[in-house]
Amino acid sequence: MRIEVNRDRCEAYGVCESVAPAVFQIDESDELVLLPFTEGQVDRATLQVAVDGCPKNALLIVD
Ligand code: SF4
């Protein structure tokens, strides 16, 4: 399982970061950084909330 970000869509609103800060981080340049994670560290339901909450529809879970 991994996350794909459509960089053309993402506007660094940070909704994903607020839901799953272990995976998503907005850096000091207002860029979204995806942190490395293993499936045991983050549950899929949380990732799905983050993906569904993105106001720009910029995130995708890939199995
Ligand atoms: S919620 Fe969407 S637009 Fe906001 S930082 Fe995350 S991916 Fe980017």
Side-chain angles (χ1 to χ4, degrees), residues 4-63:
E4 282 186 359
V5 183
N6 184 329
R7 299 278 171 189
D8 293 333
R9 286 177 171 265
C10 175
E11 295 193 1
Y13 290 136
V15 177
C16 52
E17 181 184 45
S18 67
V19 174
V23 175
F24 304 98
Q25 199 173 75
I26 305 296
D27 71 12
E28 58 282 347
S29 309
D30 270 355
E31 288 288 321
L32 174 62
V33 177
L34 287 179
L35 303 173
F37 68 95
T38 61
E39 296 202 20
Q41 286 176 312
V42 184
D43 78 344
R44 190 190 173 94
T46 301
L47 288 179
Q48 193 67 57
V49 171
V51 167
D52 292 345
C54 174
K56 302 298 289 184
N57 205 16
L59 297 173
L60 187 67
I61 298 175
V62 179
D63 289 307

